[in-house]
Amino acid sequence: MEHNEMDNRDLAEFEQKLRLAMRHREAPLGMKQRVLARARERRPARHGRWWMVKRIAASVVLVAGIAGLWSGVTVYHQNEERRKGEEARQQVLTAMRITNKTLDRVSDKLADNGR
């Protein structure tokens, strides 16, 4: 129980300090003007229409470059797949020629043994 009472006192003391810290205080004189003046100093200069046109043009060029790169990569991959397909086709044809020759030899041996 004693521990719980101490916690309650600590909590009450903390709440009192919090109330004091959070109470409303008036801002110092001239603070509003100083804050607004500093904000005006930090505000970037306004740009004209030409600046916006240049930004839009740069964006268009960037998008066109990315699209060109994307299509180039796509064409490369298509060509690579086509090349791999042709290579596999040649391997199959070679395997079929080897198999055909082997079968011809086996057939000739069987024919020779049957005579």
Side-chain angles (χ1 to χ4, degrees):
M1 288 256 185
E2 212 172 286
H3 180 70
N4 206 5
E5 288 175 18
M6 185 176 285
D7 286 344
N8 287 340
R9 267 187 274 143
D10 289 343
L11 185 58
E13 184 181 332
F14 172 75
E15 287 175 348
Q16 181 63 30
K17 288 179 181 179
L18 188 59
R19 272 192 215 93
L20 286 173
M22 298 296 290
R23 74 177 187 262
H24 178 73
R25 289 186 229 144
E26 294 296 323
L29 290 177
M31 183 174 177
K32 180 179 177 181
Q33 288 77 17
R34 288 192 306 269
V35 169
L36 291 175
R38 188 174 296 165
R40 272 187 237 105
E41 290 172 6
R42 291 183 179 182
R43 183 180 299 154
R46 296 244 178 215
H47 301 286
R49 276 191 186 177
W50 183 241
W51 176 79
M52 184 58 77
V53 169
K54 289 193 305 188
R55 296 253 332 221
I56 290 171
S59 298
V60 168
V61 168
L62 181 63
V63 167
I66 291 171
L69 181 64
W70 183 268
S71 64
V73 168
T74 302
V75 167
Y76 171 79
H77 282 293
Q78 288 172 344
N79 287 339
E80 189 67 15
E81 288 298 313
R82 190 176 296 120
R83 184 193 62 75
K84 287 179 181 177
E86 183 59 33
E87 187 177 314
R89 179 179 175 273
Q90 290 300 322
Q91 289 175 355
V92 167
L93 291 175
T94 301
M96 290 181 76
R97 278 194 294 274
I98 292 170
T99 302
N100 193 32
K101 285 182 183 181
T102 303
L103 287 174
D104 284 346
R105 283 191 211 137
V106 168
S107 180
D108 288 345
K109 283 187 180 184
L110 287 174
D112 287 345
N113 285 342
R115 288 187 203 163

